[in-house]
Amino acid sequence: MRTRSLLALAGTVTALTVAAAVPASADGAAVLTTGAVGGTAAAVGDTLTAPLATGTSATLYSSPTGTSGVTCTSSQFTATVASNPAAPGTATESVTGHSFNAASCTSNVTGVLGVSAITVDNLPYTATVASDGTLTVSPAAGSTVQTTVKLRTLLGTITCVYRASGLTGKADNSDSSISFTNQQFTKFSGSSLCFANGYFTAKYAPVTDAGARVYVN
């Protein structure tokens, strides 16, 4: 299966774990600040957005070490700040959008000719961002993080639905990025051309609030 397009999507969406590159917390500042570490607090209700980091792709591969699946070079997420207490603490966000441009997606899975659409379902999700950089994305109670991928094949379009209980990632203040690595999704429905598991990897940067970079404190 031509697989360099699928997993660019999942995603959607939206929260990550902080890496060692995140500077020490700026005590007294808000957890999320704009412009600089310890800068202006991101206000409740502000909209945060981020595209894929320049030169990177979002991938959904059939195994954590493989290269078969779906790859996308254009994706973006959108989240709204729901709470932003003083650091150290935990900020919350509502992930309201996570999109993939199907025209930028390809697949190297045998029997697959192309990618028709990738949709992140069951939005909004809740994301929490702790002062140590840990970020988690969770669905509403009783729901799942879900991505629907439509693939073109010689026999027509097939629909693959993948689900996960949640996502984790990391935030890096050096480039205001968030990264997901091998986040596992399990096939919920779809034909035999839909692999049983999808592992989502993507880096979004920079995360901005009205054009200003966002930092974790």
Side-chain angles (χ1 to χ4, degrees), residues 88-156:
T90 300
T92 59
E93 303 168 6
S94 175
V95 179
T96 56
H98 191 182
S99 63
F100 295 85
N101 182 350
S104 77
C105 300
T106 58
S107 177
N108 60 3
V109 174
T110 302
V112 175
L113 303 178
V115 180
S116 297
I118 294 174
T119 305
V120 176
D121 308 312
N122 301 339
L123 293 170
Y125 301 138
T126 296
T128 62
V129 186
S131 288
D132 66 359
T134 300
L135 187 149
T136 62
V137 178
S138 305
S143 185
T144 61
V145 173
Q146 178 174 295
T147 297
T148 298
V149 181
K150 294 188 176 182
L151 304 173
R152 298 191 305 276
T153 74
L154 290 172
L155 300 178

